[in-house]
Amino acid sequence: MTVHLSPPHSPLKVGLLGGTFNPIHNGHLAIAGGVRDRLQLDRVLFIPTGDPPHKKEGSLAPAAARYEMVRLAIADTPSFDLSDIEIRRKGKSYSIDTVQTLKQQMGPTTDLYFIIGLDAFLDIHHWRAPLELLQLCRFVVVPRPGHSYCSLATMPLFPFLNHQALAQLDKGTVSRLDISIPSGQAIICLSLPLCPISASEIRQRIRSGQSLANLLPPPVESFILQHRLYQEDTDRTDI
Ligand code: ATP
């Protein structure tokens, strides 16, 4: 267990990890722990989505079940916390609203670090108010199998990116690249060990009765089996 405490009077460093967590898996825990350790964050706040704007909802487990699975997964890690801010919000939920609210609640003595997989970050120009979001908090991008940092150079939001520096990050010859953007906080791109786990593959494995070994924290696997989640393409809603 690693707990980092900032020196007195320096801002508290809080990571935010939003996701559908459908279900939460070892990949999520690995990136949260990896970023916490690399950037010496004090805490990481897991934020399950309620009604996500950018995901198909066919096999989405009820928010209460996804929230409970995150609670079980992080129960033994004191530097990990859980927020129901998006689950409580009615209607569509947008990251910009979440970050604005958390910034207000936590105040100027807290610096927020929005942790995100490269796959999701490559889609950020489709989010609501992406430029404003980039101004509100630092983004920390982590690698995801099947996606390269070089693809960032093709994004309309970042026409100024240096392809060579991104290629070095992909190759692992540099371990961190800070991208300063004209009207925002720096985006921190990290090289972390690649973790080839996805929630969609886990759901697929459950449907076809395959092993879930090393993919999920054991209490999450028990919860899924107990409540017969992800057995069919449409999920149960009676828990
Ligand atoms: P799905 O397979 O259903 O799309 P997912 O595994 O991507 O789900 P999400 O809850 O959508 O899980 O992910 C939340 C955040 O965690 C996103 O920013 C995503 O990019 C990141 N993430 C999830 N799994 C990994 C992984 N194995 N490596 C790096 N980042 C990951």
Side-chain angles (χ1 to χ4, degrees), residues 1-39:
M1 175 193 73
T2 317
V3 179
H4 302 287
L5 288 179
S6 298
H9 310 306
S10 69
L12 199 71
K13 295 166 77 175
V14 176
L16 308 178
L17 180 56
T20 46
F21 300 121
N22 186 40
I24 187 166
H25 53 66
N26 289 344
H28 297 125
L29 298 174
I31 63 173
V35 173
R36 177 200 59 202
D37 294 349
R38 283 281 291 278
L39 301 185

Side-chain angles (χ1 to χ4, degrees), residues 17-22 25 27-28 31 55 115-120 142-145 195-201 203:
L17 180 56
T20 46
F21 300 121
N22 186 40
H25 53 66
H28 297 125
I31 63 173
K55 289 247 172 185
I115 302 167
I116 185 167
L118 181 53
D119 59 316
V142 298
R144 185 118 200 225
C195 178
I197 304 180
S198 73
S200 32
E201 193 208 331
R203 296 194 299 275

